[in-house]
Amino acid sequence: MKKLKFIPLLLLALGYSITQAKPTPYFNLPSPGNEAQVFAKGIVSADALEHSAPAISKENDVILWCLLDSPMYILESRKVNGEWTKPSRPSFLSENSDDVYPRFSPDGKTLYFSSRRPLPEGFPKLEDMWIWQVEKTKDGWGKPTPLDASICNGATYAHSITSDGHLYYSFRKDNGKIFDIRAVSVTNPSELINTPPNLNTENYEDGPLVAPDEDFIIFESNRLGGLGSNDLFICFKQNTTWTEPINMGTKINTEDSERFAGLSPDGKYLFWGSSRNNDNNIYWIEASVIDELRPGFVSKNTPARRAHHELIYDEKNNKVMLFGGSSPVEGGKTIPFFNDAWAYNGKAWEKVGNIGDERSGMKMAYHTKEQKIYSFGGFYNNQSLADLRVFEKGQWRKINELPEMKAAEGGFVYDSKRNRFVLFGGSSGRNQVNNSTYEWDGKIWHKFAGKSPEGRQAFAMVYDEKRGKTVLYGGLNDGVWEFDGNSWINIKTEGENPGERIAAGYCYDSKRGMMLISGGISNGKRINDTWAWDGTQWHKLSATGPVRRLMGYMTYDKKRDKVVLFGGRISWPIDENDTWEWDGTIWKKVF
């Protein structure tokens, strides 16, 4: 047998400190945690066009992966006497044909892979991929054999097999460039297997990963609802019914290509290939990310994914508060609303409780003299709302109703100089927007008699404490409007500006005396830049930031001098529940 070279256990060249956490069985690497990390940098992920997730034996003593080359080929590393061997080609590889997609059976006894090697006599005349199997032996591998023709049914590519012998694999649709996924039983090829609805579309579907108990399937697709190129989607089986495909979100997907997922044998880690950061490496993450995507999942530590929510800073208690919102499920068939409230102290989120009615699109303002949170309007039960409320003793108390100003996604701020709330715009109904301005003096509403800006919704509106003015931006065009109680003035800005902006995150930075906006939609595209308005001109603070989104709402934490952003919609129907902080220079993902 060829003498094996070993990889040093400490992997110092990788920059890992395995003394900080209990190492995993894989090259003694520390767990990646709940954030995607490059897997085995310099060993498996060597910037050599690694193509798909590694296949790991049940005993954790063999790891295989494949590379895009001509021909494509598989590499393996074995654990011998406690040390991992240098990557080499396994004995079952062909000399001149593509060998790709290694995947172990759930019992770990058989390795399946796809190959373009010649098929034996009696098989179809095929110069394309076919699934082969090879037994794992004590010292190596047995002799590879092709799956029966009744199972493969033509060219077969990426694949995954369950404990019940249900084989899911991709194939070329109509012999073209588009792939679909089908399922077949290896023990009973005539068995009809229930696959998820909308698993296959007119787009590209490939790389199935099926849980051993067929609890879920992960696949890649360039269908609508993605972040850019190919994304990973997941369907869950509930009893005998599959859910609609769910985009796996920004913990997994990027604007680049994600592909060919795999699981560790104990189900603790999820692996996949990615083209992010201008490379083609393998990434991994704790598989708890899968459970977080299950319909009905409720976290005790983090608010659920959502948009149309509201963030506000509670100065009295020095906490960021999150209220309400909504988020589509089942591919957007239904949109549940939230009635929960959460508090964030800069270290962790804590659920305050379920408070009041379910609603989204409400706007909030902090009354600095009373040190209380007020809310106006919102949306629920297919209609916009028009109530003024105050948050007291952990509950909302209704103060007043303004029927003529039903408003969702409007503007609502507290003018501390004049001690009154300013209300403008918002959606009063489908394709209907308000163009009126109202003020609440603590007792009654006053309608502003002068000319207000053109009606709009999903704009940014803050109160500039330093200059004593309400500032409005976006929702319709790139104009800045300011209101001092006497008139609205449209300010013609000079130089570079954020441009047309809808549904951006925004807040007022009281330390620097500037309105901040980040993300949103501009000219029909999601963006993730950050800007500041100082009353005279715009300043571009950052060209990049949190993953591109709309309704990634934010607020300024005065005590910690940080802007906090939570969630938002990264694509229809995909909302996030990540938390980001801006320190005046850079954005940092916290959760």
Side-chain angles (χ1 to χ4, degrees):
M1 179 181 287
K2 184 178 180 181
K3 186 176 180 180
L4 299 174
K5 296 183 179 179
F6 294 95
I7 299 169
L9 280 175
L10 294 180
L11 298 172
L12 294 179
L14 303 183
Y16 288 110
S17 176
I18 63 175
T19 60
Q20 295 180 357
K22 183 179 179 181
T24 67
Y26 318 120
F27 306 109
N28 279 12
L29 296 170
S31 169
N34 207 28
E35 293 290 333
Q37 305 288 339
V38 175
F39 176 65
K41 183 72 172 176
I43 303 172
V44 174
S45 299
D47 297 320
L49 297 178
E50 288 77 22
H51 185 53
S52 57
I56 304 173
S57 65
K58 195 170 184 178
E59 298 79 12
N60 293 317
D61 60 354
V62 179
I63 299 178
L64 303 101
W65 63 98
C66 61
L67 303 181
L68 279 176
D69 207 333
S70 184
M72 294 186 287
Y73 62 94
I74 296 171
L75 288 174
E76 71 172 0
S77 179
R78 288 180 170 265
K79 195 171 187 179
V80 180
N81 297 325
E83 295 188 332
W84 288 93
T85 63
K86 183 179 179 180
S88 61
R89 301 190 185 209
S91 61
F92 61 80
L93 284 200
S94 61
E95 290 293 329
N96 301 308
S97 300
D98 291 327
D99 291 313
V100 71
Y101 310 129
R103 183 90 76 185
F104 275 104
S105 59
D107 63 11
K109 297 179 179 179
T110 306
L111 183 79
Y112 295 88
F113 65 98
S114 294
S115 178
R116 283 194 171 91
R117 66 184 67 193
L119 289 165
E121 190 70 28
F123 280 79
K125 299 296 182 181
L126 184 71
E127 295 181 0
D128 208 333
M129 289 289 181
W130 193 274
I131 300 177
W132 291 64
Q133 61 184 359
V134 60
E135 297 303 309
K136 179 178 179 288
T137 66
K138 183 179 179 180
D139 299 319
W141 303 100
K143 182 180 178 181
T145 59
L147 292 186
D148 190 85
S150 62
I151 298 171
C152 281
N153 192 24
T156 49
Y157 293 83
H159 46 82
S160 182
I161 192 167
T162 70
S163 297
D164 289 338
H166 291 172
L167 179 72
Y168 288 68
Y169 64 85
S170 59
F171 65 97
R172 289 186 187 274
K173 184 191 298 183
D174 301 326
N175 296 317
K177 295 182 179 180
I178 299 299
F179 284 67
D180 270 356
I181 296 169
R182 65 163 60 107
V184 63
S185 170
V186 296
T187 57
N188 181 15
S190 63
E191 178 185 352
L192 295 178
I193 299 175
N194 177 31
T195 57
N198 299 323
L199 172 64
N200 296 314
T201 66
E202 70 278 3
N203 297 291
Y204 169 87
E205 282 81 32
D206 197 2
L209 163 66
V210 187
D213 60 359
E214 218 159 348
D215 175 54
F216 62 80
I217 177 173
I218 296 173
F219 63 98
E220 65 175 282
S221 178
N222 61 354
R223 64 181 61 202
L224 294 176
L227 302 188
S229 186
N230 295 335
D231 278 6
L232 292 183
F233 290 78
I234 188 169
C235 300
F236 293 96
K237 182 177 280 188
Q238 299 175 319
N239 296 321
T240 59
T241 303
W242 287 97
T243 66
E244 291 283 334
I246 302 167
N247 187 291
M248 296 194 72
T250 56
K251 284 189 176 180
I252 304 296
N253 295 315
T254 66
E255 294 180 2
D256 295 300
S257 179
E258 274 65 47
R259 58 191 181 274
F260 304 115
L263 278 177
S264 60
D266 57 9
K268 290 183 178 180
Y269 303 104
L270 176 70
F271 301 84
W272 71 100
S274 178
S275 300
R276 69 190 69 185
N277 302 322
N278 297 316
D279 61 32
N280 281 277
N281 285 325
I282 306 300
Y283 285 75
W284 65 325
I285 193 171
E286 288 185 356
S288 57
V289 68
I290 294 173
D291 286 328
E292 293 172 6
L293 293 165
R294 291 183 185 276
F297 172 80
V298 178
S299 172
K300 295 181 180 179
N301 303 316
T302 309
R305 301 166 184 270
R306 68 190 70 194
H308 293 287
H309 53 287
E310 180 68 316
L311 283 186
I312 190 166
Y313 182 63
D314 181 350
E315 296 182 23
K316 182 178 180 180
N317 297 301
N318 294 316
K319 292 182 179 180
V320 170
M321 300 295 295
L322 181 152
F323 295 92
S326 61
S327 187
V329 297
E330 284 296 292
K333 289 182 179 179
T334 59
I335 306 179
F337 286 66
F338 297 99
N339 69 344
D340 53 351
W342 292 74
Y344 175 67
N345 62 4
K347 297 180 180 179
W349 284 100
E350 179 184 5
K351 188 174 182 179
V352 176
N354 294 323
I355 298 166
D357 54 356
E358 301 168 331
R359 69 174 69 193
S360 68
M362 62 284 187
K363 290 300 169 182
M364 297 182 186
Y366 191 77
H367 196 302
T368 54
K369 290 184 172 62
E370 295 180 4
Q371 291 192 308
K372 293 181 180 180
I373 298 170
Y374 281 74
S375 164
F376 187 87
F379 184 83
Y380 179 67
N381 198 23
N382 291 321
Q383 63 179 347
S384 294
L385 306 173
D387 52 348
L388 176 68
R389 304 180 301 169
V390 61
F391 190 61
E392 295 175 327
K393 299 179 180 179
Q395 292 292 327
W396 287 107
R397 177 173 66 86
K398 184 176 177 179
I399 299 173
N400 185 269
E401 188 90 14
L402 185 62
E404 58 268 39
M405 268 296 283
K406 292 180 179 180
E409 298 289 348
F412 180 62
V413 301
Y414 174 66
D415 183 331
S416 57
K417 180 179 180 180
R418 298 185 304 118
N419 190 28
R420 55 186 57 205
F421 291 104
V422 178
L423 171 67
F424 168 76
S427 170
S428 58
R430 186 176 296 276
N431 298 320
Q432 297 176 352
V433 290
N434 300 310
N435 66 344
S436 300
T437 303
Y438 281 84
E439 293 188 325
W440 172 259
D441 64 6
K443 295 181 180 180
I444 61 173
W445 287 102
H446 302 270
K447 185 175 183 179
F448 176 63
K451 184 179 179 181
S452 294
E454 188 176 349
R456 66 194 71 193
Q457 69 180 105
F459 52 89
M461 192 168 111
V462 303
Y463 178 70
D464 187 327
E465 299 171 1
K466 183 178 180 180
R467 298 187 301 117
K469 293 181 179 181
T470 294
V471 182
L472 181 155
Y473 183 79
L476 190 67
N477 49 44
D478 62 357
V480 175
W481 291 80
E482 293 189 343
F483 180 68
D484 60 4
N486 296 311
S487 62
W488 280 101
I489 298 176
N490 188 196
I491 299 176
K492 304 298 182 183
T493 63
E494 296 183 0
E496 190 179 15
N497 63 65
E500 175 189 315
R501 195 66 57 118
I502 299 172
Y506 62 91
C507 66
Y508 177 70
D509 181 338
S510 57
K511 181 177 180 179
R512 297 163 186 81
M514 299 189 298
M515 176 177 74
L516 301 179
I517 67 168
S518 181
I521 296 179
S522 182
N523 298 318
K525 295 182 179 180
R526 289 174 287 113
I527 45 183
N528 63 344
D529 53 2
T530 303
W531 295 77
W533 170 256
D534 65 5
T536 303
Q537 62 181 355
W538 285 103
H539 304 269
K540 190 170 186 178
L541 304 182
S542 175
T544 60
V547 177
R548 302 170 190 265
R549 69 191 69 199
L550 58 150
M551 295 176 284
Y553 291 134
M554 57 198 208
T555 191
Y556 176 66
D557 184 329
K558 289 186 176 182
K559 182 179 180 180
R560 298 190 307 119
D561 187 26
K562 298 280 182 69
V563 172
V564 178
L565 179 151
F566 177 84
R569 184 153 298 155
I570 58 174
S571 180
W572 176 260
I574 317 163
D575 292 340
E576 266 297 352
N577 65 339
D578 48 355
T579 304
W580 294 74
E581 291 184 347
W582 167 261
D583 64 4
T585 304
I586 60 172
W587 283 101
K588 180 182 179 181
K589 187 176 181 180
V590 182
F591 301 109

